[in-house]
Amino acid sequence: MAAPESDRLRSPLVAEPAYSISISVAPSNEAKIDVHHHRPDAGEPKTTHPQPTLTVRSEEPPRQQQNQGTLARSDSTGERDRRFDQFKTLGGRLEQQLSSIRGGSQHPHPDPAAAGDDEASRDSEAETDDDSGKVPTADRYFAALEGPELETLRATEVPVLPEDETWPFLLRFPISAFGMCMGVSSQAMLYKTLELEPSTAFLRVSPGVNDVLWWVSAALMALVSFIYFLKVVFYFEAVRREFHHPIRVNFFFAPWIACLFLAKGLPEPVTSLHHAVWYQLMAPILFLDLKMYGQWMSGGEWRLSRVASPTTHLAVVGNFVGALLGARMGLREPALFFFAVGTVHYVVLFVTLYQRLPTNVPLPRDLHPVFFLFVATPSVASVAWARISGEFGLGARVAYYVALFLYASLVARVSFFFRGVSFSLAWWAYTFPVTSAAIATAVYASAMTSALTQALAVGLSAVASVTVAGVLATTVYRAFVRRDLFPNDVSIAIRRRPKAKFGKILKRIRTSSADLKELVVSRHSGGGSASETSSVSERATPMVYGRARAEP
């Protein structure tokens, strides 16, 4: 006999589920799961079932509220902001340890809310930056930063320092500031060349011009070196991160190149310098050469095809500047050694940059000035080889012609380099290359004297002087008037490991959904005991931030 229709509707195999689950995520990093009970049929007895609601909150409260809470607690307790202590060398960490030791006796009854926030903060730091004393790897820099110079933080990254306030000045002072020293000191070297070269003797350049420029360059070098020395003393962790930055590490050649320029542009004859000065200046360059060239050769995350950028020319041009100064001081063999090392690696670097591998992204407009570094290396190399060989021969002329062609090809694209480019420290990349080209042209004009070469030497020298003066004046205006020359250096504020955010929230939602589904099935089938139901319910215990909370 066929079963009645009402019995078939109540059969477990064909009955509709009595519960439904809905998941909603609010903008406040809170996800809510509601379990709704369907109304029974009219012929069935009405029973009351609890309708649990599962709420899952993010691991951390909104960043703005968290920062406000931290600042409020700092103001109320009179304590300073400790968020920058992790970048301090010794004083900040020692003071933090002493404060934690004293805190146990001076604050026996801490605020529960503040204690909870501090505990959540410690848990968050333990999940992300628990490798104390280590710096991010090159792969981590590429994963957390974007842009050809790796200077912009990706939207998915959370920095270890606050983004909504201005950092201490020393943290914002980058190693690339030594580019100013290179640009100004190259002018001292230029006017010394114009004074001594036969091709520009008709200009009657006064030795006093070289003296003034040299002392200005020396003062600027002393100021920048002193500021960065303070950064090394007080924020050594930031310096370590700059040194391990795949692009920023090239600027560690800049201080020593600027010192070589000062030695070359010295008002007195270069031969009066002791040979020990040259060896002391070239020792750091040799150390950096061994480090960087070895990494290029060994491959891996530091392979040249991945880390190459126009600023990588700084890792090569120092060899030619040292060879130029060494040849003028009579150190021919050591100068030839550095010239050979620089030549081999320049060829490899030039080919890598010129073909622009698919892994390299185009430079944004703000970084277009660094393209002029293409001109610097062959210009200095041509003069260096002329001093080593004793004449501006075939090799020197080949290098000079390459530099002259690159200079012309870059100047021809005026709109590409000079329009719509906002000012930054990258503009100092214009100064050193155009000055090097002017010096090479003056030396070339002495070997190939003609009205054309002399006019070219004077013209390029004028362009170099105007460029350096304009960039220097703009730098002073932006530094002391607008005070926006040194923004927050987010490239050093990346985390050693990515910070888990919404991914863990979704994982907990899926886990809680599976638990609720199991609970609904057990209640609907009627086969689950009270102990089983309670065991499932116990999985959603009330917790704060990142844990589930069941509300009946």
Side-chain angles (χ1 to χ4, degrees):
M1 181 180 296
E5 183 177 358
S6 60
D7 294 339
R8 284 187 284 107
L9 291 176
R10 288 193 296 269
S11 176
L13 297 178
V14 297
E16 297 180 356
Y19 292 87
S20 62
I21 301 175
S22 62
I23 302 175
S24 61
V25 180
S28 60
N29 293 337
E30 181 175 305
K32 179 177 291 185
I33 304 177
D34 298 325
V35 181
H36 302 281
H37 179 249
H38 293 283
R39 179 176 299 176
D41 296 338
E44 297 180 358
K46 295 184 178 180
T47 59
T48 303
H49 298 281
Q51 298 183 9
T53 300
L54 178 67
T55 303
V56 181
R57 289 187 174 89
S58 172
E59 289 185 346
E60 60 177 42
R63 186 186 307 168
Q64 183 177 3
Q65 297 179 4
Q66 187 178 10
N67 292 340
Q68 291 177 356
T70 303
L71 295 177
R73 292 195 304 272
S74 299
D75 296 339
S76 61
T77 59
E79 296 180 355
R80 62 178 180 82
D81 191 355
R82 300 181 181 275
R83 288 174 292 178
F84 301 98
D85 286 352
Q86 58 183 314
F87 283 88
K88 290 188 175 181
T89 306
L90 179 61
R93 297 179 182 178
L94 181 60
E95 183 179 353
Q96 185 177 9
Q97 294 176 359
L98 293 177
S99 300
S100 61
I101 295 175
R102 294 194 306 264
S105 58
Q106 294 180 359
H107 303 281
H109 302 288
D111 185 7
D117 292 341
D118 293 339
E119 182 180 357
S121 177
R122 288 193 299 268
D123 293 341
S124 177
E125 292 178 358
E127 290 179 358
T128 54
D129 284 325
D130 56 353
D131 298 331
S132 178
K134 295 183 180 180
V135 295
T137 61
D139 289 334
R140 181 69 190 118
Y141 279 104
F142 281 104
L145 302 172
E146 59 185 355
E149 302 296 316
L150 298 182
E151 77 290 344
T152 305
L153 196 69
R154 296 184 184 273
T156 57
E157 291 292 327
V158 179
V160 297
L161 297 180
E163 296 180 282
D164 55 350
E165 64 181 81
T166 303
W167 301 351
F169 173 72
L170 292 179
L171 275 179
R172 295 182 286 114
F173 193 80
I175 185 66
S176 56
F178 281 97
M180 299 185 293
C181 304
M182 293 176 57
V184 178
S185 58
S186 64
Q187 283 291 296
M189 191 168 59
L190 169 63
Y191 277 88
K192 184 177 181 179
T193 303
L194 296 178
E195 176 191 349
L196 300 178
E197 287 297 326
S199 61
T200 55
F202 67 94
L203 296 176
R204 301 179 183 274
V205 178
S206 173
V209 179
N210 172 240
D211 295 345
V212 172
L213 288 175
W214 190 89
W215 283 108
V216 171
S217 303
L220 180 61
M221 182 67 187
L223 177 62
V224 175
S225 300
F226 176 73
I227 295 176
Y228 202 79
F229 175 74
L230 293 179
K231 183 176 181 178
V232 173
V233 172
F234 294 105
Y235 294 98
F236 184 70
E237 177 63 24
V239 177
R240 288 183 61 203
R241 286 173 174 251
E242 282 191 301
F243 187 73
H244 288 82
H245 191 285
I247 308 300
R248 194 73 64 83
V249 65
N250 298 299
F251 287 96
F252 281 85
F253 286 89
W256 312 107
I257 296 175
C259 290
L260 291 172
F261 284 167
L262 288 175
K264 179 66 173 63
L266 193 67
E268 300 178 2
V270 176
T271 54
S272 62
L273 291 175
H274 197 277
H275 289 176
V277 176
W278 185 86
Y279 285 108
Q280 290 176 1
L281 293 179
M282 294 305 297
I285 293 181
L286 178 61
F287 167 76
L288 292 172
D289 284 347
L290 294 175
K291 175 187 179 298
M292 297 193 63
Y293 298 168
Q295 291 174 341
W296 296 355
M297 186 182 304
S298 60
E301 60 182 13
W302 287 90
R303 61 186 181 275
L304 182 60
S305 61
R306 188 180 190 188
V307 302
S309 70
T311 56
T312 313
H313 282 101
L314 295 175
V316 178
V317 71
N319 296 285
F320 296 114
V321 178
L324 170 60
L325 179 61
R328 296 293 291 178
M329 296 176 63
L331 300 172
R332 188 172 184 274
E333 288 303 316
L336 187 59
F337 167 79
F338 280 98
F339 186 90
V341 173
T343 301
V344 171
H345 290 90
Y346 171 69
V347 172
V348 177
L349 176 62
F350 181 82
V351 173
T352 303
L353 292 175
Y354 208 86
Q355 64 182 352
R356 301 301 296 168
L357 295 176
T359 55
N360 296 333
V361 295
L363 284 176
R365 282 189 173 273
D366 292 348
L367 294 174
H368 284 175
V370 299
F371 269 109
F372 271 78
L373 292 174
F374 275 94
V375 181
T377 306
S379 298
V380 179
S382 63
V383 181
W385 183 249
R387 301 309 185 194
I388 293 175
S389 61
E391 60 176 355
F392 209 92
L394 181 61
R397 279 182 284 175
V398 168
Y400 172 72
Y401 292 148
V402 171
L404 189 63
F405 174 78
L406 292 175
Y407 192 109
S409 63
L410 294 176
V411 173
R413 305 186 63 187
V414 177
S415 60
F416 181 76
F417 293 101
F418 299 99
R419 292 181 182 177
V421 180
S422 60
F423 184 82
S424 65
L425 287 177
W427 276 47
W428 282 97
Y430 286 130
T431 59
F432 161 52
V434 295
T435 305
S436 301
I439 294 174
T441 303
V443 178
Y444 171 77
S446 298
M448 308 291 295
T449 305
S450 66
L452 177 61
T453 57
Q454 289 178 322
L456 186 60
V458 173
L460 293 183
S461 299
V463 170
S465 299
V466 172
T467 301
V468 173
V471 174
L472 180 61
T474 307
T475 301
V476 173
Y477 171 75
R478 298 294 291 268
F480 297 100
V481 180
R482 296 187 57 176
R483 298 183 179 181
D484 59 352
L485 183 63
F486 302 105
N488 292 343
D489 191 7
V490 295
S491 61
I492 66 171
I494 66 172
R495 296 180 179 269
R496 297 182 183 92
R497 288 184 291 177
K499 183 173 179 62
K501 294 180 68 177
F502 199 67
K504 289 190 175 181
I505 302 176
L506 295 179
K507 182 178 179 180
R508 289 187 174 90
I509 291 177
R510 288 192 294 266
T511 304
S512 303
S513 300
D515 294 342
L516 283 178
K517 184 177 180 181
E518 183 179 348
L519 173 63
V520 170
V521 172
S522 63
R523 287 188 176 184
H524 178 73
S525 60
S529 62
S531 61
E532 293 176 350
T533 304
S534 62
S535 63
V536 175
S537 301
E538 288 176 355
R539 300 179 186 177
T541 56
M543 297 182 183
V544 180
Y545 295 120
R547 298 171 176 84
R549 184 180 66 187
E551 300 176 358

